[in-house]
Amino acid sequence: MTTDPRDRDMAPRAGAAATGTASPSTASPGTGSPSAGEAPLLSVRDLRVSFGPGRDAVTGLTLQASRGEVVAIVGESGCGKTLSALALTGLLPPGAKASGSARIGGTELIGASERRLRRLRGSKVSMIFQDASTALNPLMAVGAQIEEVLAIHGGPRRKERHARAIELLTSVGVPDPAVRARNLPYQLSGGLRQRVMVAIALAGAPDLVIADEPTTALDVTVQAQVLALLRDVTRSSVVLFITHDMGVVAEIADRVVVMYAGAVAESGTVADVLTRPRHPYTAALLASVPDPDRPATGELPTIPGRVPPLGERGTGCPFRDRCPRSTDQCAQLPPLAPITEGGSEVACWHPEQAGAMTDEVKTTP
């Protein structure tokens, strides 16, 4: 945990783009819009990922982000965070089909041909995968893997590419980068492999960087270095930061999207969502974060139940079976409702009760 999200100074990051309220989508909640008069660099509209009839993994994600903005997507495993990211890169698993629209700098990603996507990956959009051990080529030196990105996208000559690869390894904190560049992935520690993944993602200077739990395998010191690096990258691009760590969200993000069972439950600025959660699921997630001011007695608070798997998601609010404040009204799917002038949105019939629920969850392990 980088920091307690409840104690974090929530002032906007320097250089971050201001955001407003997006036009509501009738399909599902969305988040954010660019500054007045500024076109969004990333625009996702009604993104859906399905594995067949009755097996919808993502149900209408809508969001916008401006250049220089970090949008964090949080939620438990199975909420659709990573599938949403894979849909943007055209890397969905077999059997999954994406629909809707996702444009980066005016270029449509959803439905693009594989040939087109290969040209876009690395130059327009890149992804930092959670498990570097499976994402890296085990038979190629890590420096050569960085150089490959530069070569594919019309980079400099070989000697200059090698120098740039070493420069990137240095920027992500790899010690002895000239030596490490000649190493195979198995010769590096898990933390070093993850840093190499970050370097590869940044090599093509993409407009959109998708970071899928990029700091999971890193110790606290290295985690802070990687977060600082990603903040620098966002000055000229958009970062979608997928995580379950609310401390990291408070550290790096400008806006946050809370997903549950494939849909957006709540979205808004980090300051608003983390300090004044309206959705009971958001409040429960924050209540589950270890609090250094709370005596370490008994079990940590948890959210009872589980995220409903594909094929078992009925109608109505998907969180109602786990929510202690659900009512008969929750049998109907709640619509998107703007709740602040700053652009926060929530899909809940009883959003005003979420603050009270935070204290209730804290005292009920």
Side-chain angles (χ1 to χ4, degrees):
M1 176 67 66
T2 302
T3 184
D4 189 330
R6 292 158 294 214
D7 298 332
R8 176 68 179 171
D9 180 3
M10 293 301 177
R13 289 190 307 110
T19 56
T21 305
S23 300
S25 167
T26 57
S28 71
T31 179
S33 66
S35 303
E38 179 185 356
L41 182 58
L42 173 67
S43 178
V44 180
R45 301 288 298 177
D46 196 24
L47 177 64
R48 296 173 179 271
V49 177
S50 176
F51 287 85
R55 297 177 59 83
D56 296 328
V58 179
T59 54
L61 173 64
T62 295
L63 64 85
Q64 293 181 339
S66 301
R67 190 178 299 276
E69 191 172 16
V70 180
V71 179
I73 303 179
V74 300
E76 297 169 277
S77 297
C79 286
K81 308 184 302 298
T82 297
L83 280 176
S84 299
L86 293 175
L88 299 184
T89 57
L91 297 175
L92 286 170
K97 182 179 180 180
S99 61
S101 175
R103 303 180 72 87
I104 181 70
T107 301
E108 180 62 58
L109 301 175
I110 305 301
S113 66
E114 180 60 27
R115 182 177 181 181
R116 174 68 170 157
L117 286 170
R118 286 183 179 179
R119 292 199 299 268
L120 296 176
R121 294 183 193 125
S123 61
K124 279 286 188 179
V125 56
S126 64
M127 189 164 181
I128 304 170
F129 294 94
Q130 178 177 355
D131 188 356
S133 63
T134 59
L136 293 171
N137 186 334
L139 303 179
M140 182 184 292
V142 296
Q145 296 187 53
I146 299 174
E147 294 177 43
E148 183 179 41
V149 176
L150 298 172
I152 289 174
H153 298 290
R157 297 177 180 177
R158 183 174 181 180
K159 184 176 181 180
E160 294 170 334
R161 292 199 301 267
H162 181 70
R164 176 59 178 157
I166 293 177
E167 179 183 337
L168 285 164
L169 289 174
T170 301
S171 71
V172 296
V174 174
D176 298 323
V179 175
R180 296 299 188 183
R182 298 192 295 269
N183 289 159
L184 295 174
Y186 82 89
Q187 295 175 300
L188 304 179
S189 67
L192 286 180
R193 286 195 295 266
Q194 193 65 15
R195 294 190 221 184
V196 170
M197 283 297 304
V198 175
I200 292 174
L202 303 182
D207 290 329
L208 171 63
V209 176
I210 302 172
D212 186 6
E213 302 273 11
T215 59
T216 298
L218 308 180
D219 58 47
V220 175
T221 302
V222 177
Q223 181 185 83
Q225 294 172 352
V226 172
L227 292 178
L229 174 67
L230 290 175
R231 281 196 295 267
D232 289 339
V233 175
T234 63
R235 295 174 182 175
S236 59
S237 58
V238 170
V239 169
L240 288 185
F241 198 99
I242 298 171
T243 184
H244 65 278
D245 191 331
M246 288 295 192
V248 170
V249 172
E251 186 75 20
I252 193 173
D254 302 303
R255 297 185 64 83
V256 58
V257 177
V258 181
M259 292 190 69
Y260 184 78
V264 177
E266 183 172 0
S267 68
T269 64
V270 168
D272 201 30
V273 172
L274 297 192
T275 61
R276 295 177 295 277
R278 271 76 171 194
H279 198 285
Y281 180 58
T282 307
L285 286 176
L286 289 168
S288 299
V289 176
D291 187 348
D293 296 326
R294 186 171 57 218
T297 58
E299 298 180 0
L300 290 173
T302 60
I303 306 175
R306 60 170 184 164
V307 178
L310 293 180
E312 297 182 17
R313 299 176 182 178
T315 59
C317 175
F319 189 61
R320 68 185 185 279
D321 291 338
R322 305 176 72 187
C323 180
R325 294 186 177 272
S326 64
T327 64
D328 292 341
Q329 188 179 18
C330 299
Q332 302 177 26
L333 184 66
L336 172 67
I339 50 178
T340 69
E341 294 181 357
S344 294
E345 302 161 341
V346 65
C348 180
W349 290 116
H350 313 293
E352 72 282 354
Q353 299 176 349
M357 180 185 169
T358 303
D359 293 331
E360 179 179 321
V361 174
K362 284 184 179 180
T363 57
T364 308

